[in-house]
Amino acid sequence: MSRDQHIPRKRFGQNFLHDRGIVERIIRGINPRAGDQIIEIGPGQGALTYPLLQSIGAMRAIEIDRDLIPRLRAHSPRYGQLEVIEADVLRVDFTALAAGTPIRLVGNLPYNISTPILFHALEHASAIRDMHFMLQKEVVDRMAASHGSKDYGRLTVMLQAKVQVEPLFLVPPGSFTPAPKVDSAIVRLIPLAPEQIAPHDSQRLDELVRAAFSQRRKTLRNALSGVISAEQLQSAGIDPGLRAEQVPVADYLRLAALPV
Ligand code: SAM
């Protein structure tokens, strides 16, 4: 091991991509164009950063591990202009970074905090043009699930209420160092335009969906008692005898539009 070799840190979810074929497929999936405002979450050792820089010339990246940053800053100039933001992505204000021009978020995400990152990005959906993320396959299955499936849950509803979810391809554990214990997948997320989203109260949606899925084996009548009445469910055309996973996203939005 060379002296400056970085030892991957588990606490930062570091599984570095080394498979060039996969890197190329990810870059093709992103389809970067000159002028795109790309922001990478967790550039690590630059596996995605350098090819992206080569194709668009300039971009920004957010990295929490300060030990990785000097090397990124030293190596990047031969590919393009990289601005490294040393920060915890969960504290980054994407809307401020966009400064009026929607950003393209990309990243092989740290799996230990992938769900909080997704929810954080959702809060800034109007400042985001699209997102291309590597995640655990199991998480992508949940994001893309249809109602009626066992993978359909809170993550599905909250995401699909605001973004279009498009799984792209699978990535095996052997593509990373160290190899994670799980399969991974690339997913594309495209925020819906405001006119594509049925009017609703976001806080109410959050409350309803949390309650419904916290007891997913109960009927809505029981899981939502105290949150919404069986009569209100019926008035919205929703059978109170259904379970949370049987209810389409559009119906949750409709419930979240009812007066409380
Ligand atoms: N992009 C590199 C690759 O594909 O090889 C590294 C991916 S690795 C799975 C995740 C990266 O996210 C690491 O570089 C890690 O240090 C960084 N990271 C972890 N937690 C972070 C956080 N809260 N904010 C910003 N970066 C973070």
Side-chain angles (χ1 to χ4, degrees):
M1 195 182 277
S2 79
R3 267 197 328 156
D4 68 347
Q5 182 123 17
H6 177 82
I7 298 171
R9 294 193 160 116
K10 222 176 174 173
R11 73 174 186 283
F12 290 145
Q14 291 177 351
N15 296 94
F16 298 112
L17 250 183
H18 62 69
D19 183 328
R20 280 169 184 268
I22 295 290
V23 169
E24 273 169 31
R25 280 182 81 184
I26 297 172
I27 305 294
R28 274 203 303 277
I30 297 170
N31 191 18
R33 294 290 149 134
D36 285 352
Q37 278 219 84
I38 292 193
I39 298 183
E40 185 183 1
I41 299 171
Q45 298 180 313
L48 297 172
T49 325
Y50 301 144
L52 282 169
L53 264 183
Q54 260 175 326
S55 58
I56 55 168
M59 60 179 270
R60 291 174 282 178
I62 302 161
E63 177 57 65
I64 199 169
D65 186 345
R66 62 179 59 179
D67 289 347
L68 291 169
I69 294 177
R71 208 179 332 185
L72 282 164
R73 290 197 173 125
H75 288 200
S76 53
R78 73 183 77 150
Y79 303 105
Q81 208 183 324
L82 177 68
E83 183 192 333
V84 186
I85 301 165
E86 183 185 330
D88 174 353
V89 65
L90 295 176
R91 292 173 174 273
V92 170
D93 181 343
F94 292 125
T95 306
L97 285 187
T101 306
I103 53 176
R104 305 192 68 194
L105 280 181
V106 308
N108 169 14
L109 297 187
Y111 293 172
N112 51 340
I113 54 163
S114 59
T115 305
I117 293 175
L118 291 169
F119 277 99
H120 181 59
L122 276 188
E123 282 172 30
H124 295 272
S126 62
I128 297 173
R129 190 175 116 196
D130 60 19
M131 302 171 248
H132 289 82
F133 292 145
M134 172 97 74
L135 291 157
Q136 284 171 249
K137 175 186 175 290
E138 172 255 327
V139 174
V140 173
D141 288 345
R142 278 162 43 207
M143 292 161 74
S146 303
H147 66 280
S149 98
K150 67 172 176 26
D151 292 325
Y152 188 79
R154 174 173 171 253
L155 181 67
T156 323
V157 178
M158 298 310 287
L159 273 174
Q160 292 185 14
K162 281 196 174 175
V163 302
Q164 181 190 313
V165 180
E166 201 184 323
L168 295 186
F169 57 91
L170 298 184
V171 182
S175 301
F176 305 84
T177 312
K181 291 197 176 69
V182 293
D183 282 326
S184 300
I186 300 290
V187 67
R188 176 184 292 141
L189 304 174
I190 304 178
L192 299 171
E195 61 273 16
Q196 292 176 290
I197 304 176
H200 67 280
D201 175 334
S202 311
Q203 269 187 333
R204 181 72 173 151
L205 179 69
D206 189 49
E207 182 186 17
L208 285 162
V209 172
R210 266 178 207 278
F213 286 99
S214 66
Q215 309 182 62
R216 57 186 296 149
R217 292 163 87 184
K218 290 194 173 177
T219 61
L220 292 181
R221 178 188 286 106
N222 291 328
L224 293 180
S225 72
V227 183
I228 194 166
S229 69
E231 291 70 38
Q232 277 182 301
L233 287 168
Q234 257 154 351
S235 74
I238 296 165
D239 176 358
L242 293 177
R243 278 176 290 121
E245 70 199 38
Q246 297 173 296
V247 179
V249 175
D251 285 0
Y252 282 108
L253 287 170
R254 214 141 32 87
L255 287 180
L258 295 178
V260 181

